[in-house]
Amino acid sequence: MEKDFDQIERIYWVFTQLCNDQCIHCYNNSGPKGAKITEEDCMAIIDNLPDRLERLTLSGGEPLAERKKLYRILDGLREKYQNRLYIALQFNGDLLTPEILKTLIEKGVDRFSIASIDRYHKNEGKRKEELSELFESFGIRYMQGQPLLSKSELNSQTRDELTYSFFGATEDMWLGGNWARGRAMEHDSWKKDGTHNFCKIPSGAVAFLGNPEVDMVQEISIQLWQVNPCCPGTKDPLGDARVEKVSTILSRVADSPVMKKLNEGDIFGIGESIGISTEYGRQRAEALQNVCLWCDEFFTKHFDMATLSAKSSHVL
């Protein structure tokens, strides 16, 4: 694939899994004992981000649970991109105060996305009115909409003014309904429908390498340090953003027929290049009741991420 991977539309970076809440639908087991990385790791990851990055979403966990680290990250991003980067902060809003909001604005956050307006979070959206008043008092405009935007929708947003929005989990469409991962799996709150192709919608793998044939944003997910083609993440990451440039990682995997299938959002046909039919992929996804579980099985039994080749023991 002939592409300059030093230019990427969007990266979604979960820099911490520490959180003040412990929601039953959480796909990455965020909570009071959630996984963390060091400030030094974060600075190394910033160094390895593409030089021409349009948008970055910082998430968790709860980003404000590691406020000092968040501020250092924002300082590092400003130093690297010189205010050319659109930054969104996705958080639950529980820990936000006027003083913190003022600092976040000063450090370059453009969009504030509150991800706790549902029955899963402990406050169940009870701070929504209070938070709205707080944002409005700082002249931040409400912008309706989910964070899963198409390319045309996302490109319509500008840095002319600060914006905020609210969203939350639903059984049909958001975290608790789709991702057979983490606490969602433990609490049986994942979507049991193997025909539902999460891979082909925003936050899935579709267009992670860039795909002009679909109206989807090119988005790379970094879970702590793990570079992934989607938010749930493949069983093994594409690479380690602490020690290797994201552009190098993407260039390395781009010519793999398996990765091209993910880029198309074709999770059912992911194994065609190694002799696994689309029909078989559909059968396994339906038997496992979730495309993410079929993806896990594929990378466990059939394909080695390290060598980008079929496993020697791979049999149907």
Side-chain angles (χ1 to χ4, degrees), residues 265-280:
D266 185 5
I267 188 61
F268 304 114
I270 191 174
E272 283 186 343
S273 63
I274 60 172
I276 299 176
S277 69
T278 296
E279 181 183 0
Y280 181 82

Side-chain angles (χ1 to χ4, degrees), residues 224-264:
L224 300 179
W225 53 266
Q226 300 173 86
V227 178
N228 293 301
C230 57
C231 282
T234 44
K235 175 184 171 289
D236 300 308
L238 305 179
D240 184 340
R242 297 170 298 186
V243 299
E244 194 172 15
K245 289 190 175 298
V246 171
S247 58
T248 301
I249 293 169
L250 296 179
S251 295
R252 183 172 62 246
V253 306
D255 289 329
S256 164
V258 166
M259 296 299 148
K260 289 179 179 179
K261 284 292 185 181
L262 287 178
N263 191 55
E264 295 169 9

Side-chain angles (χ1 to χ4, degrees), residues 116-253:
S116 59
I117 313 303
D118 57 56
R119 66 179 179 84
Y120 292 105
H121 293 82
K122 63 184 178 184
N123 285 330
E124 299 183 356
K126 293 175 183 176
R127 286 199 77 196
K128 184 177 181 181
E129 185 175 340
E130 178 186 347
L131 289 169
S132 292
E133 291 177 358
L134 175 57
F135 289 129
E136 298 286 346
S137 72
F138 277 82
I140 304 173
R141 181 175 67 87
Y142 174 68
M143 178 177 283
Q144 186 176 3
Q146 295 277 353
L148 303 184
L149 300 176
S150 68
K151 183 180 294 188
S152 56
E153 290 171 322
L154 196 67
N155 287 341
S156 69
Q157 299 179 8
T158 69
R159 301 193 63 190
D160 294 339
E161 59 182 336
L162 305 179
T163 59
Y164 73 95
S165 64
F166 297 103
F167 73 100
T170 69
E171 287 76 6
D172 289 336
M173 188 56 210
W174 198 240
L175 309 186
N178 290 284
W179 301 353
R181 293 284 188 279
R183 211 171 290 121
M185 192 75 172
E186 294 170 18
H187 290 270
D188 202 32
S189 61
W190 51 286
K191 191 178 185 74
K192 297 176 178 63
D193 180 1
T195 66
H196 177 84
N197 187 1
F198 181 82
C199 200
K200 203 166 188 175
I201 63 176
S203 283
V206 63
F208 85 98
L209 296 171
N211 189 338
E213 296 181 2
V214 297
D215 184 26
M216 297 289 180
V217 178
Q218 180 194 12
E219 179 177 276
I220 310 303
S221 171
I222 303 177
Q223 281 287 333
L224 300 179
W225 53 266
Q226 300 173 86
V227 178
N228 293 301
C230 57
C231 282
T234 44
K235 175 184 171 289
D236 300 308
L238 305 179
D240 184 340
R242 297 170 298 186
V243 299
E244 194 172 15
K245 289 190 175 298
V246 171
S247 58
T248 301
I249 293 169
L250 296 179
S251 295
R252 183 172 62 246
V253 306

Side-chain angles (χ1 to χ4, degrees), residues 12-18 27-28 30 58-63 90:
Y12 180 89
W13 182 15
V14 171
F15 72 89
T16 182
Q17 292 171 0
L18 186 69
Y27 74 102
N28 64 20
S30 293
L58 293 169
S59 187
E62 168 49 45
Q90 186 172 298

Side-chain angles (χ1 to χ4, degrees), residues 67-68 70-75 77-78 83 87 101-110:
R67 193 164 72 250
K68 178 176 176 289
L70 171 61
Y71 291 167
R72 182 66 188 92
I73 287 171
L74 291 171
D75 288 342
L77 291 171
R78 175 172 288 180
N83 210 35
I87 299 174
L101 181 56
K102 180 176 183 292
T103 300
L104 292 172
I105 293 170
E106 290 172 348
K107 290 185 178 295
V109 176
D110 297 286

Side-chain angles (χ1 to χ4, degrees), residues 181 199 205 229-230 233-236 262 267 270 281 284-285 288 290-303 305:
R181 293 284 188 279
C199 200
C230 57
T234 44
K235 175 184 171 289
D236 300 308
L262 287 178
I267 188 61
I270 191 174
R284 291 306 300 148
L288 294 164
N290 186 273
V291 296
C292 291
L293 294 181
W294 158 235
C295 182
D296 285 350
E297 181 177 287
F298 176 79
F299 285 104
T300 299
K301 294 183 177 181
H302 306 297
F303 194 79
M305 187 71 80

